[in-house]
Amino acid sequence: MFTGLIQEVGTIKKIKKASRHIELTCTASRELLQDYQVGDSMAINGVCLTSIEVTDSDFTVDIMPETFHKTTFSDLRVHAAVNLERAMPANGRLEGHIVSGHADTTTRLTKKVKKENSVILTFYYPPQIQGEIVAQGSVAINGISLTVSAVTPGSFSVSLIPYSMNHTNLGQLKQGEFVNIETDILGKYIKAMIGTEKNQMLSKYAGE
């Protein structure tokens, strides 16, 4: 489990594609990798991955083809900046929101507007996650826990403070570029429950 609070921005060092998997090597600070071991989890741009090799300055993860093509990893290039967060320890503080590290889909930035000391980012609202993003609710974008500031039928917006702009890769994001998105897990369960109840009611009425 993760919190959506990015610990640092790493850099893609190497991408090795094999027939059934992809190995991705990412640089990170000695501090972040302290006591980090093979088999441990790391969220890279919001996607939970398991390390298969660790050094003092980088680590390598194994990515399955489905994950590779479902996320922005398919567009990543060497030297790209990525958000990094280690899994939250059992005694850690949950200061963001519950993030599983399982990206739902990707979406693109449609507008970037500076407003006073913040920057408002507006994204396309993919139809497959409609109803899972609500104003004042939580969403993870490239692994960053953010509060949704506005929602329309076709888009949603978040507001970034200077700290988030300077300490994550969203500060470099350009209009038209894609990001990984994970909606709030609580919203998913509520949506599923409502859908189940609705289907039960329709089945009941259909049988009368």
Side-chain angles (χ1 to χ4, degrees):
M1 189 183 83
F2 304 89
T3 67
L5 300 183
I6 303 306
Q7 293 175 273
E8 69 178 52
V9 176
T11 305
I12 299 300
K13 181 179 180 180
K14 183 170 61 176
I15 300 173
K16 180 182 177 182
K17 298 181 180 180
S19 58
R20 297 188 177 182
H21 68 108
I22 298 93
E23 291 183 10
L24 184 149
T25 302
C26 181
T27 62
S29 69
R30 185 183 296 268
E31 289 75 20
L32 186 66
L33 296 179
Q34 185 178 13
D35 78 8
Y36 184 67
Q37 302 175 2
V38 170
D40 287 353
S41 296
M42 181 80 77
I44 303 178
N45 275 357
V47 181
C48 178
L49 298 165
T50 302
S51 64
I52 59 173
E53 186 177 336
V54 180
T55 73
D56 289 340
S57 59
D58 61 46
F59 65 97
T60 300
V61 295
D62 211 1
I63 306 175
M64 294 297 99
E66 180 181 1
T67 302
F68 187 78
H69 294 295
K70 183 181 178 180
T71 65
T72 57
F73 288 136
S74 59
D75 295 323
L76 276 184
R77 299 291 181 267
V78 172
H79 304 308
V82 289
N83 296 323
L84 302 177
E85 182 191 354
R86 291 187 59 176
M88 188 181 79
N91 62 346
R93 296 178 62 179
L94 182 60
E95 297 184 9
H97 74 280
I98 297 174
V99 178
S100 69
H102 303 152
D104 294 300
T105 185
T106 62
T107 190
R108 68 180 183 276
L109 178 69
T110 59
K111 188 185 297 183
K112 185 175 184 178
V113 178
K114 184 172 177 57
K115 185 176 182 181
E116 299 176 352
N117 71 329
S118 65
V119 174
I120 299 175
L121 303 179
T122 300
F123 297 90
Y124 168 67
Y125 196 158
Q128 61 267 41
I129 57 172
Q130 289 288 330
E132 297 178 18
I133 297 178
V134 296
Q136 308 311 312
S138 297
V139 65
I141 300 176
N142 272 359
I144 308 164
S145 175
L146 295 166
T147 300
V148 179
S149 58
V151 177
T152 71
S155 68
F156 69 93
S157 300
V158 296
S159 182
L160 295 185
I161 59 174
Y163 183 89
S164 297
M165 292 288 292
N166 297 329
H167 291 82
T168 71
N169 63 8
L170 288 190
Q172 307 171 25
L173 195 66
K174 298 177 181 178
Q175 187 171 327
E177 291 186 332
F178 282 78
V179 293
N180 295 321
I181 231 179
E182 181 188 332
T183 60
D184 189 351
I185 192 168
L186 299 178
K188 290 186 178 78
Y189 280 117
I190 293 172
K191 181 181 177 181
M193 289 172 61
I194 292 173
T196 299
E197 291 178 357
K198 182 178 179 181
N199 289 334
Q200 289 175 343
M201 290 180 64
L202 290 175
S203 296
K204 178 182 177 181
Y205 290 134
E208 291 180 352

